[in-house]
Amino acid sequence: MATIAVAGTGYVGLVSGACLADFGNTVVCVDNNPDKIKTLKAGGIPIYEPGLEDVVQRNVASGRLSFTTDMAAAVRASDVVFIAVGTPPADDGSADLKYVEAVAREIARAMDGYKVVVDKSTVPVGTGRKVKAWMAEELGKRGAEAAGYGFDVVSNPEFLREGSAVQDFMHPDRVVIGAESLKARALMKDVYRSLYINETPYIETNIETAEMIKYASNSFLAVKITFINEVANLCEKVGANVQDVAKAMGRDGRIGGKFLHPGPGYGGSCFPKDTQAMARIGRDNGEPLSIVETTIEANERQKNRMVHKIEAGMGGSGSLKGKTIAVLGLAFKPNTDDMREAPAITIIEGLVALGAKIRACDPAAVAEAKWRLESVKDSVAFCASEYESMEKADALVLMTEWNQYRNLDLDRVKTLLNRPLFFDLRNVYKREDVESKGFVYHAVGK
Ligand code: NAD
């Protein structure tokens, strides 16, 4: 089993650190945000992620998991150092590597012998080489002894999904390891021994291939969602039902049924930025990925389309002025508090721009939503529950399909709303059920 430092205790770093400790490794998680580390040391979890608290508590109690802001000490105590910091989009759509670079240089300034440095952040092809160069430069500054320590860079992209991150990390579809030396490969097998011996598909490649696998996977998923969104839009025009179309398509093993659920457009901290970065890598290398470029545009259209769907359903142009809309769910998907690039932001801003007032709720994301919706704060009220948000609203919008919104008491909903108008942007409800209660029901593509 390995001794590991994980730099960055966000969704990926904290889940990876806790789960790697659960696999039997000794892990120290590092963050330069002292508040996060204080919370973690006090037994708190700074993010909402089902099941994470249990794994963290279990491994802290066993002595295999600890937290610190002291990167140098963490690096010296470890054979393997994971980089799990953010790679947000820069203004030109490329991934901003400033946090990755800062950590790589810090590792080199602190190390006292051979280390394997593992990039878990999602980074453009070629970043592994850059990490190597940044580290070599820092080691060079420290003189001949440090320059001789030696290190390997490994690319180990992460495929976990927020909301089921612990389960995904513990039972991945595959582990991808991009490495150059046998020594690094052997150490990575130690790190993932409990998955490796359980015959989880374990794919060893070169660094560039591993980096590309992550972007290609996320871009493909974004294309798949966008494809079914466009099919849904067409279904609305021709009288077809996209749910039946998707179900039948998905039975074809070559297509598969997952990610064929139409909705208000994809969001979150990964697909929007990773598709943009992938498109940028294509352009930079003279091989534009037209399908990814088109997907990005179509996804923006899809979010705006929802605003116009609601406006049309409420009576057409000008009908939103002075009206109140209840919005259930704000996070980009259920079971997370993550609001990064959530379609709810664009859609709420769009509705407010057309004169609407919003009464919104979400079981976990309200704190995040408050500052992300700052620009429209005078028109948005945050409510403690779904039923409170419906009080005297002129329409109901189901934005994010949290479990508690899947089985609403429609009789009660009807008494709370001014008008029985229901926009189900996640296709959760059956048209017959909602219409039989006297609602006017709008869904996506059916
Ligand atoms: P995040 O923003 O939640 O967490 C990043 C953490 O890094 C923060 O806690 C921040 O304080 C810390 N940090 C920044 N600079 C630091 C430094 N110099 N030293 C120590 N800590 C530092 O990000 P995330 O969602 O966990 O994503 C991390 C990476 O993983 C990104 O590249 C992302 O694309 C990728 N990824 C994310 C997901 C996901 O679902 N969130 C899934 C797969 C891959």
Side-chain angles (χ1 to χ4, degrees):
M1 288 298 143
T3 50
I4 297 172
V6 180
T9 58
Y11 291 88
V12 167
L14 184 56
V15 171
S16 305
C19 294
L20 288 172
D22 217 51
F23 293 167
N25 299 291
T26 302
V27 181
V28 51
C29 287
V30 195
D31 208 289
N32 63 355
N33 178 338
D35 292 339
K36 278 198 176 181
I37 295 301
K38 204 170 149 200
T39 303
L40 286 161
K41 280 189 160 175
I45 303 288
I47 53 171
Y48 178 89
E49 188 56 55
L52 182 56
E53 194 171 355
D54 277 359
V55 191
V56 168
Q57 278 175 1
R58 183 163 72 232
N59 287 282
V60 168
S62 75
R64 284 195 305 268
L65 181 63
S66 59
F67 305 101
T68 183
T69 52
D70 187 345
M71 174 78 99
V75 167
R76 285 197 282 270
S78 309
D79 297 326
V80 181
V81 186
F82 279 79
I83 303 178
V85 294
T87 46
D91 291 342
D92 63 358
S94 64
D96 188 342
L97 295 177
K98 65 172 181 270
Y99 303 111
V100 172
E101 178 174 354
V103 171
R105 289 186 185 277
E106 246 185 292
I107 297 168
R109 284 198 295 271
M111 61 195 256
D112 54 356
Y114 175 82
K115 305 283 168 194
V116 171
V117 176
V118 186
D119 182 29
K120 204 166 229 338
S121 298
T122 303
V123 292
V125 181
T127 304
R129 309 255 156 239
K130 287 185 180 166
V131 167
K132 217 170 171 174
W134 291 324
M135 289 186 60
E137 192 185 319
E138 290 301 323
L139 285 167
K141 288 183 200 163
R142 291 178 57 192
E145 191 191 339
Y149 287 152
F151 66 93
D152 276 301
V153 173
V154 166
S155 168
N156 170 219
E158 182 49 56
F159 301 96
L160 62 77
R161 295 161 298 174
E162 286 172 23
S164 54
V166 172
Q167 171 74 11
D168 289 348
F169 198 96
M170 300 280 199
H171 306 280
D173 290 335
R174 74 297 209 191
V175 173
V176 174
I177 302 291
E180 286 171 332
S181 80
L182 290 176
K183 193 170 174 185
R185 286 190 178 184
L187 256 168
M188 292 311 290
K189 275 192 185 144
D190 261 357
V191 168
Y192 283 108
R193 179 148 312 276
S194 62
L195 293 181
Y196 182 69
I197 55 178
N198 276 339
E199 296 184 9
T200 299
Y202 191 89
I203 300 162
E204 292 184 315
T205 68
N206 67 15
I207 295 173
E208 287 73 14
T209 307
E211 290 169 339
M212 183 59 90
I213 287 168
K214 175 66 188 175
Y215 277 117
S217 302
N218 271 6
S219 297
F220 187 81
L221 292 171
V223 168
K224 198 170 176 189
I225 299 172
T226 304
F227 180 82
I228 203 67
N229 281 343
E230 292 208 316
V231 171
N233 300 341
L234 183 55
C235 283
E236 287 179 9
K237 293 281 163 65
V238 300
N241 180 329
V242 74
Q243 273 179 316
D244 293 339
V245 173
K247 203 187 289 170
M249 279 174 69
R251 298 302 297 175
D252 185 327
R254 293 168 303 176
I255 297 173
K258 290 188 178 159
F259 272 74
L260 283 181
H261 304 287
Y266 60 76
S269 67
C270 291
F271 291 165
K273 86 172 166 56
D274 293 350
T275 44
Q276 279 194 38
M278 179 74 161
R280 175 81 205 197
I281 297 167
R283 268 179 268 134
D284 287 350
N285 286 281
E287 291 292 346
L289 294 155
S290 54
I291 197 162
V292 179
E293 306 263 7
T294 305
T295 292
I296 296 167
E297 283 167 31
N299 193 57
E300 282 310 305
R301 278 200 301 276
Q302 189 70 7
K303 292 188 265 182
N304 290 317
R305 195 185 164 92
M306 297 300 119
V307 176
H308 297 298
K309 177 191 269 297
I310 294 166
E311 186 186 37
M314 289 191 72
S317 181
S319 62
L320 289 178
K321 252 198 165 57
K323 292 290 190 310
T324 299
I325 299 176
V327 173
L328 307 194
L330 295 162
F332 82 97
K333 65 173 182 178
N335 299 321
T336 181
D337 57 352
D338 200 342
M339 281 294 296
R340 288 178 283 188
E341 304 280 338
I345 298 172
T346 312
I347 296 170
I348 287 175
E349 285 173 350
L351 295 171
V352 169
L354 293 172
K357 301 259 183 229
I358 307 295
R359 290 175 65 79
C361 61
D362 188 285
V366 166
E368 275 291 301
K370 274 187 180 159
W371 70 267
R372 290 188 188 267
L373 287 165
E374 179 71 21
S375 66
V376 290
K377 69 173 189 306
D378 295 338
S379 301
V380 181
F382 293 97
C383 303
S385 77
E386 53 275 27
Y387 293 108
E388 190 186 321
S389 70
M390 294 170 203
E391 284 169 15
K392 300 214 177 340
D394 299 291
L396 172 64
V397 174
L398 176 49
M399 185 79 73
T400 311
E401 69 279 31
W402 284 86
N403 270 344
Q404 49 266 66
Y405 306 153
R406 285 177 170 272
N407 197 13
L408 294 168
D409 175 350
L410 292 173
D411 293 321
R412 185 170 170 203
V413 173
K414 205 169 159 207
T415 62
L416 293 168
L417 292 174
N418 282 339
R419 269 169 85 187
L421 191 50
F422 188 175
F423 297 90
D424 177 0
L425 305 189
R426 299 290 179 171
N427 287 352
V428 165
Y429 286 82
K430 282 204 178 103
R431 178 177 291 283
E432 319 73 274
D433 294 351
V434 184
E435 287 182 345
S436 71
K437 298 279 183 186
F439 284 82
V440 176
Y441 178 73
H442 298 273
V444 181
K446 60 173 190 174

